[in-house]
Amino acid sequence: MSGNVVVIGSINLDVIAAVARLPRPGETALAQRVDVVPGGKGANQALGAARAGARVTLISAVGEDGEQYLRYLEKHGVSVQHVMRAPLATGRAYIAVDDQGENSIIVAAGANAALTAHWILRCQDVIRSADIVLVQQEIPTAAIREALTLAADAHVPTILNASPVDAASRELGDLATVVVVNEHENRLVGIPDAVVTLGAAGARWGDDAVRPMTATTVDTTGAGDAFAGALAAALAVGRSRSQALAMAVESGTSATQWAGAQPDGFEPVADLRNLS
């Protein structure tokens, strides 16, 4: 296995508001600072896999406002030749982060909603040639189903990060080789032998469990994506389950040490005035 990871998922611009504490329902919180940084589960996980040493291709969608983001991804080792351009704004995630590093997120799909099963079919050659395919649920279900089916037909193992969990998660999970969920998602989806992330307690996969090294949390945004990307990279080169889990936990823990979903996230990717 050569470490060829194909990631199929979302690209978002993250609008991050730093607050003293997350607002309760009906409450208004004043932001201490607002930043616009690169995000989206697909892009986050693609970069996570690239940082872990994989050769990564991203299949995704952006609007006309996403070209600078694509150059950023290429600069950091992610092939974007299979990213479609849609007549919509690039997706947005609106994130509040409190003083303890906990977050609350609202996602507007934007161009991600245009990622169709037809586009996935056009990309079938790169999917069939992968060592592993990694998908998440911030894109249309039909596109995910097509990707998992194409990969299975080519005997390519797949990872589904069933997040954000929805009514299709169990069906999609049954199509995937490996499913990654957090504790809350696992209670909703209930897939046997899933990889379960446990936040500060690490992660477990069947009989294997890994606790992270103690670290001071800055921001938990993107930690799960770093975990999934590293897991895919490790499995793509034939690492064992326990080895892959340990690498993923290490990457996820590292991701809590910087603000935003990506370590270079404060490299400008958009002008705040142009966010609509």
Side-chain angles (χ1 to χ4, degrees), residues 197-257:
T197 60
L198 306 170
R204 68 172 185 268
W205 189 359
D207 293 333
D208 293 308
V210 177
R211 293 188 63 86
M213 295 181 63
T214 302
T216 301
T217 298
V218 174
D219 180 4
T220 58
T221 304
D225 294 333
F227 176 99
L231 184 75
L235 294 175
V237 293
R239 298 293 187 187
S240 69
R241 284 170 53 141
S242 59
Q243 290 172 327
L245 189 66
M247 288 178 62
V249 168
E250 181 180 358
S251 293
T253 303
S254 295
T256 67
Q257 305 306 295

Side-chain angles (χ1 to χ4, degrees), residues 14 16 35-38 72 76 258-269:
D14 289 355
I16 302 179
D35 297 290
V36 181
V37 300
Y72 165 84
H76 291 279
W258 57 70
Q262 299 169 18
D264 299 305
F266 286 97
E267 178 175 318
V269 295

Side-chain angles (χ1 to χ4, degrees), residues 33 51 53 66 71-72 80 93 98-99 107 112-113 134 140 147 155 177 197 209 211 213 241 249 273:
R33 187 184 72 252
R51 285 195 300 274
R71 292 194 295 272
Y72 165 84
V80 296
D98 69 15
D99 287 345
V107 175
N112 296 308
L134 171 60
H155 306 289
T177 310
T197 60
R211 293 188 63 86
M213 295 181 63
R241 284 170 53 141
V249 168
R273 294 168 297 180

Side-chain angles (χ1 to χ4, degrees), residues 99-114:
D99 287 345
Q100 284 70 50
E102 294 300 323
N103 63 59
S104 178
I105 306 173
I106 298 173
V107 175
N112 296 308

